[in-house]
Amino acid sequence: MENNTTGNAGIVLVSEVYPDNIVVLPLENRPVFPGLALPLSFVNREIVKSVLYSIEKNNAFIGVSYIKTTNSTDFFKSEKHKTGTLLKILKVINKSDDNIQFFAQAITRFYYRKELTRQAITHWQVEFEYDEKQPVSNELKAYTLAIINSVKQLIKLNPMFQEQMKLALSQVGMEKPGLLMDLVASFLTADGDKLQPLVEAVDLFKRSDLLLKLLREEIELNELQQHIEKQIEEKISTQQREFFLREQLKIIKQELGLEKDDKTSEIEVIEKKIKKLVLTDEVAKTIEEELNKLRTLENGSAEYQVSRTYLNWLTDLPWGVFSDDNYDLAKARKILDEQHYGLNDVKQRILEFVSTIVKRRKVSGSIICLVGPPGVGKTSIGKSIADALGRQFFRFSVGGMRDEAEIKGHRRTYIGAMPGKLIQCLKRTGVSNPVIMLDEIDKIGASYQGDPASALLEVLDPEQNSDFLDHYIDVRFDLSNILFVTTANQLDTIPQPLLDRMEIIKLSGYILKEKVEIAKRFLIPKQRKEHGLKANEIQITDTALVQIVDGYSREAGVRSLENQIKKIMRMTTLLQAENGNSRINVSQNNLKDFLGHPIFTTEGLYKKSIPGVTLGLAWTAMGGATLYIEAQGIKGRSPGLKQTGQLGSVMQESAEIAYSYIQSILPDDNFEFFKNHLVHLHVPAGATPKDGPSAGVTMALAIYSLAINQPIKKGLAMTGELTLTGKVLPIGGVREKTIAARRVKVFELIFPDENKKDFEELPDFLKEGITAHFVSYFDEVIKIAFAK
């Protein structure tokens, strides 16, 4: 349903007898006041039927009343107010089955008495009330004058009311105050709920009070609206004025040659960059094409922004810009020695690379891959290489990288496209020959978005990277002057084609002596500075450092050692804050107060030799390690071999080979042991997965020792792969395993004979005090293990 009480309204006077039984239509938006002629529109089949009935049967008289509650299913049956307005339908403008528009005159108020039904149409029996019945007193005239003054004030604030109000005031005088009030009320913009009390107010004094309140609200609303509009206009005027002035100033400066527009300025900046670069023909041609394109585009267009960004990337790259290399090998060696203690073999390999660069005056083409456990200094060595060469250094991690675009960039057709990491690092370093470190290359991923490892094949191939093509830049850049350094914890997860392109340098880890020296030279001064302590405020003795390394941080690197030193520094600052201690001395006696009880004690588990227990040497991604192997016979069970300790498939096979081989070599009197016992082989630390072939000799010796019921000599550790015929095969990780043995103070070791050359290549400080036996067959192991 829609009713419309706006339009060309006029005052029409009607004088005839009104029926007291009328059809009453519901009004949704606002009530209708007597004295006004206005168009109305309804969309409802029942209302159309009722209007036509009233025209035909009720002399075109019909009532309207503002609704109280809307009936959502049938609007015609909505609950209406008891007071409404009688209308005289003057003309039907438009009509259909469910829509009707008519022009009507509002005559007077009526009041509901009761409801009737005639010819299936609901009627109201009503009673009429006329304003003329009340005399016009001086007080009422005063109210009327107040209303007229408020109307004049409203006209000044809102000219929209001017014509309508002037018409009403000119046609109705002071002698008809009720009609004047109704006409003024009909022009107000108040809600229907506020206007309905005016319809119900028969008493003119009451109606005057209500109308004056509504007029006051209308005036205040218009004053607020005018104030807001004035503020907006002032703001817009100021902004427009400033804009016009700036534009005029810009044009004046351009005319005088003092300033250029944004596009011209940007193009000039790009052209200045180009003059400082040594461009290839391909790059120069591409930049010129993009500049010509940029000149034809509008500043605000999206294509302009894309083209400008592309040109900025092209001109920000260091085409033909190189840093001067340091060709002084003595200085390079000094830098490496100052920044790293130990690692002499690693430094030697690095200096070999540097010397080749010095000789050829360019990168030789090899890619360095630093492999070792966490915390051994791989990343810091890469930074030292850059310092030794006098080059810029840039590091980014490829660990977990799954998108090829991270390496080769996105195509410019994508929103938010960017070059790859390599082009980004060239922009940041500002030279074409930096040292770039690709960290954690063994942890690179792959997904549906591409394989970054495959993308690195081009980057790390000396035969291809001279013409590297980034998808975003789309012109070739020479990467052959870059020295690439990669780091990894292990080589197993690096794709073989990628591994073939790299020169492997292994960092096995540090022994106790080296860790103590590193702590004294680097870690303690660094942490003392980071915690705001002076040298005379904290003192850690050498014996305490030895205890920290041996009991709290036995890993191959020094990261855990640094964490322990941090704990000591934090405890020192706390003691100073709470107790006012000016100097803290950390010794072997009070070390537990700072770090608690030692963490590592398991490798010293056995105080004396026991039959069936041997000590093996193992290699892990964390460095070398020692592990006990225990064998125990269970009498009365079915003969056989039981294995525990979370052993991998290769290690289980080694155990089975060892079990079979020992059975084959034992004499008959000892062989009875296997007929009457189940051999249970266990490797402690069962929560840790273990695998690899190098424990074969250790397992076999544990079973042999159990079978003959004799313990092996104390302080002996071993490693080697065993075959079914007793042949001892070579293993890897000799350096790491030697370091692990020294760490637990085991100085007599058994290695496969073919690993003798690996042991001899170890630095003297690692071999010092070590008695190494090299065996080819297991019977040699037996002689060494049970020698008196």
Side-chain angles (χ1 to χ4, degrees), residues 76-258:
F76 185 59
K77 295 180 180 179
S78 298
E79 183 184 359
K80 300 178 283 291
H81 285 276
K82 302 300 182 183
T83 303
T85 306
L86 179 68
L87 304 181
K88 172 74 173 183
I89 300 173
L90 303 176
K91 182 181 180 181
V92 176
I93 302 170
N94 190 19
K95 176 176 69 72
S96 65
D97 291 342
D98 56 0
N99 181 20
I100 190 166
Q101 293 177 326
F102 57 87
F103 195 76
Q105 176 195 352
I107 301 172
T108 188
R109 291 170 173 76
F110 64 76
Y111 301 94
Y112 170 85
R113 289 298 175 227
K114 64 179 180 179
E115 191 174 280
L116 305 170
T117 302
R118 292 182 178 177
Q119 298 183 11
I121 295 177
T122 303
H123 289 63
W124 279 13
Q125 185 176 357
V126 298
E127 180 180 329
F128 300 103
E129 187 72 36
Y130 305 99
D131 295 337
E132 286 78 8
K133 292 182 180 179
Q134 297 190 24
V136 181
S137 63
N138 289 334
E139 186 180 359
L140 192 56
K141 287 181 181 180
Y143 270 111
T144 305
L145 285 173
I147 291 170
I148 293 172
N149 289 333
S150 296
V151 169
K152 289 179 179 179
Q153 189 178 354
L154 186 59
I155 290 173
K156 291 179 183 179
L157 294 171
N158 192 345
M160 290 178 59
F161 293 128
Q162 188 169 358
E163 294 301 325
Q164 295 173 326
M165 291 294 185
K166 281 184 178 179
L167 177 64
L169 295 176
S170 64
Q171 293 191 11
V172 180
M174 297 282 291
E175 66 279 2
K176 293 183 179 179
L179 180 59
L180 179 64
M181 294 176 198
D182 288 341
L183 292 176
V184 171
S186 64
F187 296 131
L188 297 180
T189 60
D191 295 337
D193 292 333
K194 291 183 178 180
L195 294 173
Q196 178 62 27
L198 288 172
V199 178
E200 297 174 354
V202 178
D203 182 72
L204 293 182
F205 293 104
K206 182 179 179 182
R207 196 187 306 173
S208 299
D209 281 335
L210 294 173
L211 181 57
L212 284 170
K213 289 179 183 177
L214 290 179
L215 281 168
R216 174 47 50 193
E217 290 180 7
E218 194 85 21
I219 290 169
E220 289 175 355
L221 178 64
N222 280 272
E223 285 176 344
L224 179 59
Q225 180 183 354
Q226 196 173 61
H227 177 67
I228 293 171
E229 289 176 352
K230 186 178 179 181
Q231 284 184 325
I232 294 171
E233 285 176 4
E234 288 176 355
K235 188 175 180 181
I236 293 174
S237 298
T238 304
Q239 290 176 345
Q240 286 178 338
R241 182 172 176 274
E242 290 176 356
F243 173 76
F244 288 132
L245 287 174
R246 278 195 297 267
E247 289 299 313
Q248 288 173 358
L249 181 62
K250 188 184 294 184
I251 293 170
I252 291 169
K253 285 185 176 181
Q254 289 175 6
E255 291 294 329
L256 294 174
L258 301 176

Side-chain angles (χ1 to χ4, degrees), residues 553-576:
S553 56
R554 285 187 182 177
E555 85 291 353
V558 294
R559 194 166 290 157
S560 177
L561 174 59
E562 186 173 18
N563 289 335
Q564 300 302 326
I565 292 172
K566 286 180 183 178
K567 287 183 182 178
I568 294 174
M569 297 297 172
R570 289 195 296 268
M571 180 66 77
T572 300
T573 58
L574 180 62
L575 289 173
Q576 287 183 343

Side-chain angles (χ1 to χ4, degrees), residues 337-341 517-527:
D337 288 338
E338 285 177 351
Q339 297 182 357
H340 294 275
Y341 179 80
E517 202 62 36
I518 290 169
K520 290 165 66 176
R521 294 190 185 190
F522 302 104
L523 302 182
I524 292 176
K526 175 186 173 185
Q527 292 305 322

Side-chain angles (χ1 to χ4, degrees), residues 620-733:
T620 69
M622 302 293 288
T626 56
L627 69 162
Y628 281 99
I629 293 179
E630 303 172 336
Q632 186 65 267
I634 304 174
K635 194 172 182 179
R637 300 282 297 271
S638 301
L641 178 67
K642 180 180 180 180
Q643 305 170 53
T644 56
Q646 203 173 158
L647 308 182
S649 58
V650 176
M651 207 165 181
Q652 290 178 19
E653 290 177 359
S654 296
E656 291 171 1
I657 291 170
Y659 180 73
S660 299
Y661 174 71
I662 296 303
Q663 282 184 313
S664 69
I665 66 170
L666 280 178
D668 293 340
D669 52 344
N670 294 112
F671 188 77
E672 292 297 322
F673 173 83
F674 290 104
K675 291 182 179 180
N676 302 321
H677 293 80
L678 168 71
V679 176
H680 185 172
L681 194 69
H682 176 66
V683 182
T688 306
K690 311 167 191 72
D691 205 2
S694 64
V697 169
T698 316
M699 290 177 166
L701 188 59
I703 296 171
Y704 184 85
S705 171
L706 175 68
I708 66 173
N709 196 30
Q710 288 185 29
I712 67 169
K713 68 164 66 174
K714 194 174 181 182
L716 177 67
M718 65 209 70
T719 181
E721 181 178 354
L722 185 68
T723 69
L724 272 174
T725 59
K727 175 71 175 173
V728 180
L729 300 182
I731 44 80

